[in-house]
Amino acid sequence: MRSIAASDITVAVAAAIMEMHFQIRPDVKAALQTALEQEGSPLGRQALELLLQNAQMASAGVLPLCQDTGLTILFVDIGQEVAVEGSLEEALQTGVRQATVKSRLRHSVSADPLKRMNTGDNTPAVIHYQVVPGKAFRVQIMAKGGGCENASTQAMLLPSAGEAGVADFVVNSVRLNAATACPPVIIGVGLGGSFDTAPLLAKKALLRTIGESAADPGLSKLEKEILARINRLGIGPQGWGGSITALSVAIEAAPCHIASLPVAVNVDCHSHRVAEVKL
Amino acid sequence: MSSVWLTLPLDSAAVQNLRIGEWVNLSGPLYTARDAALQRIHDLLLEGKQPPIDLKGRCIYFVGPTPPAPGESVGSAGPTTSRRMEPFLPLLLDAGVSGVIGKGPLSGHIVAEFQRRGVLYLSAAGGAGAYYGSKIYGAAVAAYEDLGPEAVYSIKVENFPAVVAVDLKGGDLFEEGPKAYRKE
């Protein structure tokens, strides 16, 4: 067995969160710069220039990229030969809490969906655990803004809908919802699985580096087709009109029931705060 | 980019000439408010009671900022989604709000209401929290301190850029802007 101290997990998670709210990811910055070159609308280009200027200002480490520092989502891969000394759950939540205080993140979590009291420290983070073979330990971290999360959708399509049905559903979701989600957006699509896992696949798809295609050639082709269609919608940066509405489309697929074709669309904004910790 | 300089509170003559897609540079006092505070204000107005702030002629910025760094009055402070505030908007307009700043489109019936009453809707750039935080000065809680980031703050902005999203001539940027680029 390999042993990892809970306190080491807390320190690493807190450090990654504190970094990701101030330093724009290199892949996102490159995608925004490419978008600036390709955008046909003057207003769209001005919006993109403002976002790049914003990223430059945030990099000083005082003001987060976005005031919506989000609901923290953690994907934990833990090797079955790893033993955590202490509470893994508490270690992760403490990391979120510490980063919130040290980096002056906004308190963006309601304790109850109807009573709406603020928890005051951004916990609880949403945590997905997966046991993997070996001695690896990895946490993928996402700070998910409310505006783009609200633009996400899900449907149980008929198997006969096929690729065309999936593409239509995704493009139509973006048409209806992207303007409220801080475009240019990043689109994660979950295909297959069950009613509960399709959205999880969509969220995992958002963890992929921007511009990296699915390993499956069919899915890779579908990603490109959907992205091209989305960028023909005209929504543009901020919804002000333009040729760049999305920076990327990533699809993750899984086996599903013979009667079902679950599809989920998880939208992320251009701030795209995603980080990874390996111990 | 060329901009129209606007001083707050809004002068109705200056607003008349604005057109969708134009940049404005705002300077002057604003109130911040979002979901939780607007729900409370809305509920008071519904009961015919006075809200804790006087909304007549004032502009509201839909935002929930991050906590300020030491010596500062506000942290990151970009706009939040305006559409979520629609249930509260008719009564806010009744109370005399003259303009709102947020991000993203408003529904057609709300846009029509803005135009009928001569209320301006400005779209700030969503996700530019650090940038907009640096344009805000003298933030102080004006109401509902218990709501934390969702409290109402009285703020002053200086050279705060936003785009005219709904003008008084019937224009709606979120409808008109995409048309030239729509190919699907």
Side-chain angles (χ1 to χ4, degrees):
Chain A
M1 291 296 278
R2 178 189 168 211
S3 176
I4 300 177
S7 57
D8 288 348
I9 296 171
T10 296
V11 169
V13 166
I17 294 173
M18 289 166 66
E19 162 120 2
M20 76 181 182
H21 282 290
F22 299 92
Q23 307 304 328
I24 194 170
R25 286 170 56 97
D27 56 340
V28 177
K29 187 176 178 184
L32 287 173
Q33 282 165 336
T34 304
L36 182 57
E37 288 163 19
Q38 294 174 344
E39 178 54 63
S41 150
L43 210 47
R45 285 198 298 275
Q46 287 155 1
L48 292 166
E49 280 166 0
L50 203 152
L51 297 180
L52 286 164
Q53 196 182 338
N54 179 69
Q56 182 63 36
M57 291 173 79
S59 69
V62 180
L63 297 168
L65 284 161
C66 180
Q67 77 290 337
D68 185 353
T69 51
L71 177 62
T72 310
I73 318 285
L74 304 175
F75 289 94
V76 180
D77 290 339
I78 180 164
Q80 59 190 28
E81 292 170 48
V82 171
V84 175
E85 292 170 47
S87 163
L88 173 56
E89 173 82 20
E90 197 42 51
L92 296 165
Q93 300 290 4
T94 302
V96 172
R97 200 176 291 124
Q98 286 182 358
T100 297
V101 173
K102 287 185 186 166
S103 286
R104 296 180 300 273
L105 303 181
R106 194 181 73 183
H107 303 160
S108 303
V109 179
S110 283
D112 181 289
L114 295 176
K115 295 175 191 153
R116 314 293 308 174
M117 312 82 70
N118 198 304
T119 65
D121 62 6
N122 281 335
T123 67
V126 173
I127 308 178
H128 302 288
Y129 296 98
Q130 190 171 341
V131 177
V132 297
K135 295 181 176 173
F137 182 85
R138 179 175 73 162
V139 185
Q140 288 169 294
I141 307 168
M142 181 186 290
K144 198 65 175 64
C148 54
E149 191 76 345
N150 287 350
S152 303
T153 52
Q154 177 174 17
M156 303 300 283
L157 302 180
L158 299 180
S160 61
E163 252 184 50
V166 167
D168 286 349
F169 178 77
V170 176
V171 172
N172 206 37
S173 289
V174 173
R175 184 203 318 274
L176 294 174
N177 302 309
T180 60
C182 285
V185 290
I186 293 154
I187 303 293
V189 179
L191 269 190
S194 50
F195 179 75
D196 48 320
T197 59
L200 201 53
L201 289 168
K203 191 154 253 121
K204 280 186 178 171
L206 291 175
L207 298 172
R208 204 190 292 162
T209 300
I210 305 299
E212 190 183 302
S213 299
D216 178 274
L219 289 183
S220 169
K221 184 166 165 280
L222 187 58
E223 288 171 349
K224 288 182 178 67
E225 283 170 16
I226 293 175
L227 179 61
R229 282 182 64 185
I230 287 172
N231 285 334
R232 286 199 294 270
L233 291 172
I235 296 167
Q238 298 297 329
W240 297 339
S243 38
I244 306 293
T245 299
L247 300 176
S248 75
V249 173
I251 304 176
E252 291 290 326
C256 61
H257 193 281
I258 53 173
S260 300
L261 175 45
V263 54
V265 180
N266 197 197
V267 181
D268 203 13
C269 62
H270 56 73
S271 294
H272 193 56
R273 293 143 306 177
V274 170
E276 181 181 81
V277 164
K278 281 181 176 170
L279 289 175
Chain B
M1 57 206 172
S2 66
S3 285
V4 179
W5 295 83
L6 272 190
T7 306
L8 298 165
L10 290 174
D11 169 349
S12 56
V15 171
Q16 285 294 333
N17 298 321
L18 296 174
R19 291 296 171 268
I20 54 166
E22 267 185 311
W23 283 94
V24 296
N25 244 308
L26 293 170
S27 293
L30 283 169
Y31 282 125
T32 74
R34 50 170 290 153
D35 309 63
L38 289 178
Q39 180 77 59
R40 288 188 187 177
I41 290 170
H42 176 265
D43 292 351
L44 286 172
L45 291 169
L46 200 61
E47 293 169 24
K49 293 179 182 161
Q50 277 296 107
I53 50 170
D54 185 6
L55 296 168
K56 192 156 179 56
R58 299 298 299 269
C59 287
I60 297 180
Y61 180 26
F62 299 143
V63 59
T66 62
E72 301 290 334
S73 72
V74 74
S76 279
T80 193
T81 309
S82 302
R83 191 175 269 170
R84 252 186 3 260
M85 313 309 158
E86 286 185 356
F88 315 123
L89 280 171
L91 285 185
L92 291 174
L93 301 192
D94 282 348
V97 168
S98 64
V100 300
I101 306 162
K103 71 171 172 82
L106 290 169
S107 301
H109 70 284
I110 295 286
V111 168
E113 198 62 19
F114 271 53
Q115 286 163 350
R116 192 175 69 79
R117 297 168 184 252
V119 175
L120 187 64
Y121 174 39
L122 299 173
S123 172
Y131 179 89
Y132 283 112
S134 74
K135 305 288 182 187
I136 296 174
Y137 305 88
V141 173
Y144 307 136
E145 188 162 19
D146 61 299
L147 293 178
E150 296 201 76
V152 174
Y153 290 87
S154 168
I155 62 171
K156 283 194 178 67
V157 297
E158 208 171 300
N159 300 338
F160 181 109
V163 172
V164 177
V166 171
D167 66 27
L168 307 194
K169 297 286 176 184
D172 176 355
L173 177 63
F174 291 99
E175 281 292 320
E176 301 300 320
K179 279 182 182 167
Y181 303 94
R182 188 176 297 149
K183 298 183 181 94
E184 162 135 356

